[in-house]
Amino acid sequence: MTQPVHIRRATGSPPTIASVDLECLPLLASALVAAERGWPVIPLHPGSKRPAGHAERACPSTGRCTNGHRTPEERATTDPDLIHAAWAHRPYNVGIATGPAGLLVIDLDPVKAEEPEGAPDGATSLQALCERAGQVLPDTYRVRTARGEHLYFTAPPGVRLKCSVDRLGPHIDTRAWGGYVVAPGSTTPDGAYEVAHDAPVAELPTWLAALLTEPDRPAPVAVRVHDGTLAARTALERECAVVAATSEGGPNGRNNTLHRSACKVARFVAWGDIPRHVVEQAIQGAGEATGLPPAECRTTIRSAMDWVIAHATPREAA
């Protein structure tokens, strides 16, 4: 159902009348509230945590991507006109691009079903971390997620913190540059995201910032491969060097480059020119050298290898 409703466009601005589907109104309001805080937002598929829009591998290189694929982080906006256009007629969930928003969000997750009884969840791990450090977290804005809780902090100035997985402890992830969080008002099959504590966003404690600051990366070591044909070995060594030289974020960032390079070498595996485990081990090392978490490297490499090998035509594989 669509009817005229009052939409608050920006802080201090008078309300305007616009045509909005009623089921979209709460999510539109959530996106506008985040934008008023200075937090750029992106639309997520309705009922999902996945960003709406095309993936890099399916980029048409037209429109806003004419000069190269734009990631969800790069598409995030606080422009009320763009937000209204996106959310007025489809109930997109709302994502907050944490890096551009100047946020570091601690994501506390539950224990997985396959883990042993008594394993700590994210909240327990964070409490233990604070006790070991002899610190207490400041009061801050909190969001109850579908499976846990988000703790919002302002990122320290002059430091470009990255996302992390389990770096602070089991089931404690962080979202900063290169990531996003689902905003309150959104709903997934696991449940709703709601404000649990509407306090001002506190500064990230310096002791936590220190734990999340990555040390300088050592210079990448050239990979030398001894298995496979000369062409396959050369291709693998070249792609490992490409991966190891990448930096965070963007269309040419670490994860995207890792995926592309794994795809390029996977064809030699499909042709029988080099063992799969040799390729995976070498590219895994190159990916980890960039600072990517080992689990993320494995997932990206496995996805690329599986797809290329499964789709190799008989003529290519011959």
Side-chain angles (χ1 to χ4, degrees):
M1 178 177 180
T2 304
Q3 68 179 49
V5 295
H6 290 284
I7 300 296
R8 189 154 51 97
R9 303 297 294 279
T11 302
S13 299
T16 61
I17 296 180
S19 180
V20 180
D21 289 351
L22 289 183
E23 73 169 321
C24 301
L25 187 56
L27 291 162
L28 172 59
S30 173
L32 289 171
V33 167
E36 288 177 3
R37 288 176 174 266
W39 299 344
V41 295
I42 55 172
L44 309 176
H45 285 289
S48 168
K49 296 193 292 185
R50 295 184 298 108
H54 59 264
E56 181 184 8
R57 294 190 294 277
C59 183
S61 300
T62 59
R64 61 190 177 188
C65 294
T66 299
N67 296 321
H69 178 69
R70 298 184 67 191
T71 66
E73 184 176 79
E74 293 168 331
R75 297 197 301 267
T77 184
T78 58
D79 186 323
D81 291 328
L82 294 178
I83 292 171
H84 185 274
W87 271 275
H89 302 295
R90 192 173 183 197
Y92 287 115
N93 274 343
V94 181
I96 297 171
T98 42
L103 293 172
L104 184 290
V105 177
I106 297 178
D107 180 10
L108 304 178
D109 284 332
V111 176
K112 294 182 174 61
E114 64 271 16
E115 291 186 86
E117 184 178 353
D121 61 9
T124 302
S125 296
L126 182 60
Q127 181 180 0
L129 175 66
C130 291
E131 290 175 355
R132 289 195 302 271
Q135 301 285 345
V136 177
L137 290 180
D139 189 48
T140 194
Y141 182 81
R142 295 174 179 245
V143 172
R144 186 179 302 107
T145 73
R147 302 191 307 133
E149 191 173 33
H150 285 165
L151 282 61
Y152 283 55
F153 296 95
T154 58
V159 179
R160 197 178 174 93
L161 294 176
K162 306 171 186 176
C163 298
S164 71
V165 177
D166 291 344
R167 181 172 183 138
L168 295 178
H171 304 298
I172 305 176
D173 298 341
T174 63
R175 295 291 176 263
W177 281 98
Y180 63 91
V181 291
V182 181
S186 303
T187 304
T188 70
D190 291 326
Y193 288 69
E194 302 171 337
V195 176
H197 186 46
D198 194 10
V201 178
E203 294 181 3
L204 182 70
T206 54
W207 66 274
L208 274 178
L211 293 176
L212 293 168
T213 302
E214 294 187 357
D216 292 337
R217 283 166 37 194
V221 178
V223 173
R224 291 290 178 262
V225 183
H226 304 289
D227 294 326
T229 66
L230 176 60
R233 296 198 311 269
T234 301
L236 177 56
E237 291 171 1
R238 180 180 63 247
E239 294 306 322
C240 284
V242 169
V243 170
T246 57
S247 58
E248 59 171 319
N252 295 314
R254 297 174 299 174
N255 192 282
N256 289 331
T257 301
L258 183 67
H259 188 277
R260 283 196 299 267
S261 291
C263 285
K264 290 179 181 178
V265 185
R267 60 196 178 109
F268 290 100
V269 176
W271 296 337
D273 290 344
I274 193 169
R276 175 168 177 162
H277 75 273
V278 171
V279 172
E280 290 183 335
Q281 182 178 2
I283 296 187
Q284 176 81 21
E288 290 184 25
T290 70
L292 282 174
E296 183 177 348
C297 291
R298 284 192 294 271
T299 299
T300 298
I301 294 167
R302 188 179 301 118
S303 173
M305 299 283 289
D306 287 347
W307 193 94
V308 171
I309 292 172
H311 291 80
T313 66
R315 186 162 64 94
E316 289 177 331

